[in-house]
Amino acid sequence: MRIAVLTETDPTEPRVAAVPETVKKFIGLGSDVVVQSGAGAKAGVPDGEYEAAGAKIAGSADEALSGADLVLKVRRPNAEELGKIQKGATVIAIMDPYGHEDELKAAAEAGVNTFAMELMPRITRAQVMDVLSSQANLAGYRAVVDGAAEYGRSLPMMMTAAGTVPAARIFIMGVGVAGLQAIATARRMGAVVTATDVRPATKEQVESLGAKFVAVEDDEFKQAETSGGYAKEMSAEYQKKQAELVKGHIAKQDIVITTALIPGRPAPKLVSEEMVASMKPGSVLVDLAVERGGNVAGAKAGEIVTVGNGVKIVGHVNVPGRLAATASSLYARNLYAFVETLIDKESKALAVQWDDELVKATNLTRDGQVVHPNFQPKA
């Protein structure tokens, strides 16, 4: 079996889909691995390290894809790449399928079988394959680092001969994987941390990390979690009550980090222009949902916006990619763990079990058709 690892074409994507550690493991499964030259450069992995691990280096995408049975990427292949992938080959990547039905149709028409890593079910056997968690964990950490970098003061309380410096106040909105890591990081850096989420189970998690929980805890709040562990979209009435509570709290904060995303939908608006205006000059908001429309009014993808009252709104895109080496290492391990389940150990070839729950949850296109029920073409 021939595995191709491509250089990402998106200029905002420094991550790579395989690292020398996973290349060795794929070769151990009996595969040939071909890595496009420069694929790992932005993640700090030179071609020589891939060669030392046993991979062949290809000078171009065409050369890497020639005869490849399996293509590993970080992002969905573009139209040009699809045209170079042989019919019947399998592509595994973060496919970003919501709102991109035309691109899925193109992949199906190209005869490529595609799998979306971000649709991996959150079950025990798939934890090691959960790219959303591995990447969100890093995003939560980096959000605090980025917020601290833009904030013109120290985070911990400091007692000096010249006087006491108070600890910064950091408020985390949305306590998923990213939010929990943001809380832990902010606490380690010495800030006073508060957090909010609509899911009742998060209250105990927040408090276990030494932060204070802030939410309207009514009957709707007690039912606000899907069976998959995601946040439900709340009623307009609840959102209004929560906004009132948050409004008074945000005005006292130095750094606010928002992480709220609902799969397949635009990011919920959590921080209004009025709330931003209530914050002290020099305060910082970091919006981790900016690529999905943003949680903060005025946030712009790829920009740091300073509003009239001197408050900064940080809208970095691809925040896990800001830690490209670590993010690539974790993503590559997620990919390997999944691919290993698709390979027959005797024949050393791809042998996808189409009725496996992991396969059914992540398979988007197969045999020229879009097969995932969530992305069927509209009649």
Side-chain angles (χ1 to χ4, degrees), residues 150 273 276 282-287 290 296-316:
E150 297 300 331
E273 286 181 13
V276 174
S283 302
V284 178
L285 295 115
V286 181
D287 191 339
V290 71
V296 180
K300 290 186 181 173
E303 293 183 34
I304 297 174
V305 179
T306 304
V307 295
N309 59 338
V311 173
K312 290 181 182 178
I313 305 172
V314 178
H316 293 308

mmCIF file of all heavy atoms in Angstrom, residues 150 273 276 282-287 290 296-316:
data_model
loop_
_atom_site.group_PDB
_atom_site.id
_atom_site.type_symbol
_atom_site.label_atom_id
_atom_site.label_comp_id
_atom_site.label_asym_id
_atom_site.label_seq_id
_atom_site.Cartn_x
_atom_site.Cartn_y
_atom_site.Cartn_z
ATOM 1 N N GLU A 150 -1.136 40.394 24.196
ATOM 2 C CA GLU A 150 -1.757 41.662 23.804
ATOM 3 C C GLU A 150 -2.104 42.535 25.010
ATOM 4 O O GLU A 150 -2.307 43.742 24.875
ATOM 5 C CB GLU A 150 -3.036 41.398 22.981
ATOM 6 C CG GLU A 150 -2.802 40.687 21.657
ATOM 7 C CD GLU A 150 -1.898 41.456 20.710
ATOM 8 O OE1 GLU A 150 -1.877 42.705 20.768
ATOM 9 O OE2 GLU A 150 -1.179 40.808 19.920
ATOM 10 N N GLU A 273 -21.595 44.549 21.121
ATOM 11 C CA GLU A 273 -20.814 45.798 21.043
ATOM 12 C C GLU A 273 -20.903 46.557 22.360
ATOM 13 O O GLU A 273 -19.924 47.157 22.807
ATOM 14 C CB GLU A 273 -21.327 46.665 19.892
ATOM 15 C CG GLU A 273 -20.941 46.147 18.523
ATOM 16 C CD GLU A 273 -21.446 47.034 17.407
ATOM 17 O OE1 GLU A 273 -21.886 48.173 17.695
ATOM 18 O OE2 GLU A 273 -21.389 46.598 16.241
ATOM 19 N N VAL A 276 -18.510 45.004 24.812
ATOM 20 C CA VAL A 276 -17.135 45.375 24.470
ATOM 21 C C VAL A 276 -16.866 46.805 24.948
ATOM 22 O O VAL A 276 -15.821 47.095 25.545
ATOM 23 C CB VAL A 276 -16.875 45.252 22.947
ATOM 24 C CG1 VAL A 276 -15.489 45.786 22.590
ATOM 25 C CG2 VAL A 276 -17.011 43.800 22.487
ATOM 26 N N GLY A 282 -7.465 48.875 27.204
ATOM 27 C CA GLY A 282 -6.354 47.936 27.370
ATOM 28 C C GLY A 282 -6.792 46.507 27.599
ATOM 29 O O GLY A 282 -5.956 45.594 27.592
ATOM 30 N N SER A 283 -8.098 46.298 27.793
ATOM 31 C CA SER A 283 -8.605 44.923 27.951
ATOM 32 C C SER A 283 -8.533 44.190 26.602
ATOM 33 O O SER A 283 -8.452 44.818 25.546
ATOM 34 C CB SER A 283 -10.058 44.934 28.436
ATOM 35 O OG SER A 283 -10.156 45.626 29.662
ATOM 36 N N VAL A 284 -8.592 42.864 26.668
ATOM 37 C CA VAL A 284 -8.421 42.050 25.456
ATOM 38 C C VAL A 284 -9.526 40.998 25.373
ATOM 39 O O VAL A 284 -9.867 40.374 26.385
ATOM 40 C CB VAL A 284 -7.043 41.332 25.474
ATOM 41 C CG1 VAL A 284 -6.871 40.451 24.241
ATOM 42 C CG2 VAL A 284 -5.909 42.334 25.567
ATOM 43 N N LEU A 285 -10.072 40.807 24.172
ATOM 44 C CA LEU A 285 -10.974 39.681 23.905
ATOM 45 C C LEU A 285 -10.310 38.786 22.871
ATOM 46 O O LEU A 285 -9.804 39.282 21.856
ATOM 47 C CB LEU A 285 -12.318 40.159 23.368
ATOM 48 C CG LEU A 285 -13.175 40.987 24.319
ATOM 49 C CD1 LEU A 285 -13.350 42.393 23.789
ATOM 50 C CD2 LEU A 285 -14.550 40.343 24.517
ATOM 51 N N VAL A 286 -10.283 37.475 23.117
ATOM 52 C CA VAL A 286 -9.729 36.507 22.159
ATOM 53 C C VAL A 286 -10.887 35.633 21.687
ATOM 54 O O VAL A 286 -11.499 34.926 22.490
ATOM 55 C CB VAL A 286 -8.624 35.643 22.798
ATOM 56 C CG1 VAL A 286 -8.050 34.677 21.764
ATOM 57 C CG2 VAL A 286 -7.522 36.510 23.384
ATOM 58 N N ASP A 287 -11.193 35.690 20.381
ATOM 59 C CA ASP A 287 -12.343 34.977 19.818
ATOM 60 C C ASP A 287 -11.860 33.738 19.063
ATOM 61 O O ASP A 287 -11.345 33.834 17.946
ATOM 62 C CB ASP A 287 -13.112 35.912 18.881
ATOM 63 C CG ASP A 287 -14.462 35.345 18.463
ATOM 64 O OD1 ASP A 287 -14.638 34.113 18.544
ATOM 65 O OD2 ASP A 287 -15.338 36.131 18.059
ATOM 66 N N VAL A 290 -13.823 32.766 15.568
ATOM 67 C CA VAL A 290 -13.890 33.832 14.555
ATOM 68 C C VAL A 290 -14.056 33.277 13.140
ATOM 69 O O VAL A 290 -14.690 33.895 12.289
ATOM 70 C CB VAL A 290 -12.643 34.759 14.667
ATOM 71 C CG1 VAL A 290 -11.381 34.061 14.183
ATOM 72 C CG2 VAL A 290 -12.862 36.068 13.942
ATOM 73 N N VAL A 296 -17.759 37.287 19.238
ATOM 74 C CA VAL A 296 -17.626 38.673 19.700
ATOM 75 C C VAL A 296 -17.991 39.633 18.574
ATOM 76 O O VAL A 296 -17.477 39.514 17.453
ATOM 77 C CB VAL A 296 -16.162 38.955 20.160
ATOM 78 C CG1 VAL A 296 -16.019 40.391 20.640
ATOM 79 C CG2 VAL A 296 -15.751 37.977 21.254
ATOM 80 N N ALA A 297 -18.881 40.577 18.869
ATOM 81 C CA ALA A 297 -19.247 41.601 17.885
ATOM 82 C C ALA A 297 -18.009 42.417 17.531
ATOM 83 O O ALA A 297 -17.281 42.865 18.415
ATOM 84 C CB ALA A 297 -20.324 42.516 18.458
ATOM 85 N N GLY A 298 -17.739 42.556 16.229
ATOM 86 C CA GLY A 298 -16.585 43.346 15.794
ATOM 87 C C GLY A 298 -15.339 42.531 15.546
ATOM 88 O O GLY A 298 -14.336 43.058 15.057
ATOM 89 N N ALA A 299 -15.373 41.212 15.866
ATOM 90 C CA ALA A 299 -14.194 40.365 15.614
ATOM 91 C C ALA A 299 -14.030 40.165 14.107
ATOM 92 O O ALA A 299 -15.008 39.999 13.380
ATOM 93 C CB ALA A 299 -14.357 39.013 16.298
ATOM 94 N N LYS A 300 -12.775 40.181 13.642
ATOM 95 C CA LYS A 300 -12.497 39.973 12.225
ATOM 96 C C LYS A 300 -11.466 38.859 12.078
ATOM 97 O O LYS A 300 -10.422 38.885 12.732
ATOM 98 C CB LYS A 300 -11.959 41.259 11.586
ATOM 99 C CG LYS A 300 -13.021 42.348 11.467
ATOM 100 C CD LYS A 300 -12.496 43.550 10.709
ATOM 101 C CE LYS A 300 -13.567 44.630 10.625
ATOM 102 N NZ LYS A 300 -13.042 45.875 10.043
ATOM 103 N N ALA A 301 -11.783 37.898 11.216
ATOM 104 C CA ALA A 301 -10.888 36.750 11.024
ATOM 105 C C ALA A 301 -9.530 37.210 10.509
ATOM 106 O O ALA A 301 -9.437 37.958 9.539
ATOM 107 C CB ALA A 301 -11.517 35.759 10.041
ATOM 108 N N GLY A 302 -8.481 36.761 11.210
ATOM 109 C CA GLY A 302 -7.123 37.075 10.787
ATOM 110 C C GLY A 302 -6.625 38.443 11.203
ATOM 111 O O GLY A 302 -5.554 38.875 10.773
ATOM 112 N N GLU A 303 -7.405 39.138 12.050
ATOM 113 C CA GLU A 303 -7.004 40.499 12.440
ATOM 114 C C GLU A 303 -7.076 40.691 13.948
ATOM 115 O O GLU A 303 -7.800 39.986 14.644
ATOM 116 C CB GLU A 303 -7.926 41.542 11.781
ATOM 117 C CG GLU A 303 -7.800 41.623 10.267
ATOM 118 C CD GLU A 303 -8.685 42.725 9.690
ATOM 119 O OE1 GLU A 303 -8.867 43.765 10.371
ATOM 120 O OE2 GLU A 303 -9.201 42.534 8.575
ATOM 121 N N ILE A 304 -6.304 41.679 14.433
ATOM 122 C CA ILE A 304 -6.455 42.169 15.806
ATOM 123 C C ILE A 304 -7.058 43.558 15.685
ATOM 124 O O ILE A 304 -6.425 44.476 15.154
ATOM 125 C CB ILE A 304 -5.106 42.210 16.549
ATOM 126 C CG1 ILE A 304 -4.525 40.796 16.679
ATOM 127 C CG2 ILE A 304 -5.267 42.840 17.937
ATOM 128 C CD1 ILE A 304 -3.127 40.745 17.261
ATOM 129 N N VAL A 305 -8.299 43.704 16.115
ATOM 130 C CA VAL A 305 -9.034 44.964 15.970
ATOM 131 C C VAL A 305 -8.983 45.721 17.295
ATOM 132 O O VAL A 305 -9.272 45.159 18.351
ATOM 133 C CB VAL A 305 -10.513 44.685 15.594
ATOM 134 C CG1 VAL A 305 -11.299 45.988 15.471
ATOM 135 C CG2 VAL A 305 -10.600 43.872 14.308
ATOM 136 N N THR A 306 -8.618 47.007 17.241
ATOM 137 C CA THR A 306 -8.695 47.850 18.426
ATOM 138 C C THR A 306 -9.894 48.768 18.274
ATOM 139 O O THR A 306 -9.976 49.545 17.313
ATOM 140 C CB THR A 306 -7.407 48.687 18.611
ATOM 141 O OG1 THR A 306 -6.286 47.804 18.657
ATOM 142 C CG2 THR A 306 -7.456 49.491 19.899
ATOM 143 N N VAL A 307 -10.859 48.654 19.177
ATOM 144 C CA VAL A 307 -12.082 49.461 19.075
ATOM 145 C C VAL A 307 -11.887 50.799 19.795
ATOM 146 O O VAL A 307 -10.863 51.042 20.436
ATOM 147 C CB VAL A 307 -13.311 48.699 19.619
ATOM 148 C CG1 VAL A 307 -13.603 47.487 18.753
ATOM 149 C CG2 VAL A 307 -13.105 48.252 21.055
ATOM 150 N N GLY A 308 -12.901 51.663 19.670
ATOM 151 C CA GLY A 308 -12.798 53.053 20.125
ATOM 152 C C GLY A 308 -12.342 53.254 21.564
ATOM 153 O O GLY A 308 -11.640 54.224 21.863
ATOM 154 N N ASN A 309 -12.737 52.338 22.456
ATOM 155 C CA ASN A 309 -12.366 52.527 23.868
ATOM 156 C C ASN A 309 -11.019 51.874 24.213
ATOM 157 O O ASN A 309 -10.684 51.704 25.375
ATOM 158 C CB ASN A 309 -13.463 51.967 24.788
ATOM 159 C CG ASN A 309 -13.734 50.486 24.557
ATOM 160 O OD1 ASN A 309 -13.431 49.958 23.494
ATOM 161 N ND2 ASN A 309 -14.290 49.816 25.547
ATOM 162 N N GLY A 310 -10.247 51.473 23.183
ATOM 163 C CA GLY A 310 -8.919 50.907 23.431
ATOM 164 C C GLY A 310 -8.920 49.436 23.759
ATOM 165 O O GLY A 310 -7.894 48.878 24.162
ATOM 166 N N VAL A 311 -10.059 48.758 23.583
ATOM 167 C CA VAL A 311 -10.148 47.305 23.813
ATOM 168 C C VAL A 311 -9.718 46.586 22.531
ATOM 169 O O VAL A 311 -10.129 46.958 21.434
ATOM 170 C CB VAL A 311 -11.584 46.898 24.210
ATOM 171 C CG1 VAL A 311 -11.715 45.381 24.288
ATOM 172 C CG2 VAL A 311 -11.958 47.533 25.545
ATOM 173 N N LYS A 312 -8.898 45.542 22.682
ATOM 174 C CA LYS A 312 -8.438 44.767 21.523
ATOM 175 C C LYS A 312 -9.278 43.504 21.368
ATOM 176 O O LYS A 312 -9.538 42.808 22.352
ATOM 177 C CB LYS A 312 -6.969 44.365 21.698
ATOM 178 C CG LYS A 312 -5.985 45.515 21.608
ATOM 179 C CD LYS A 312 -4.571 44.974 21.775
ATOM 180 C CE LYS A 312 -3.546 46.096 21.736
ATOM 181 N NZ LYS A 312 -2.182 45.558 21.948
ATOM 182 N N ILE A 313 -9.652 43.199 20.118
ATOM 183 C CA ILE A 313 -10.352 41.945 19.811
ATOM 184 C C ILE A 313 -9.429 41.122 18.912
ATOM 185 O O ILE A 313 -9.140 41.502 17.780
ATOM 186 C CB ILE A 313 -11.703 42.199 19.105
ATOM 187 C CG1 ILE A 313 -12.580 43.143 19.931
ATOM 188 C CG2 ILE A 313 -12.423 40.875 18.851
ATOM 189 C CD1 ILE A 313 -13.848 43.592 19.222
ATOM 190 N N VAL A 314 -8.942 40.008 19.451
ATOM 191 C CA VAL A 314 -7.972 39.164 18.746
ATOM 192 C C VAL A 314 -8.734 38.097 17.954
ATOM 193 O O VAL A 314 -9.493 37.309 18.530
ATOM 194 C CB VAL A 314 -7.001 38.500 19.749
ATOM 195 C CG1 VAL A 314 -6.018 37.580 19.019
ATOM 196 C CG2 VAL A 314 -6.259 39.566 20.554
ATOM 197 N N GLY A 315 -8.501 38.055 16.629
ATOM 198 C CA GLY A 315 -9.217 37.102 15.770
ATOM 199 C C GLY A 315 -8.290 36.234 14.939
ATOM 200 O O GLY A 315 -8.462 36.114 13.726
ATOM 201 N N HIS A 316 -7.293 35.649 15.569
ATOM 202 C CA HIS A 316 -6.375 34.780 14.812
ATOM 203 C C HIS A 316 -7.133 33.587 14.225
ATOM 204 O O HIS A 316 -7.992 32.998 14.894
ATOM 205 C CB HIS A 316 -5.264 34.240 15.720
ATOM 206 C CG HIS A 316 -4.319 35.292 16.208
ATOM 207 N ND1 HIS A 316 -3.682 36.181 15.365
ATOM 208 C CD2 HIS A 316 -3.894 35.600 17.462
ATOM 209 C CE1 HIS A 316 -2.906 36.983 16.070
ATOM 210 N NE2 HIS A 316 -3.017 36.656 17.344
#
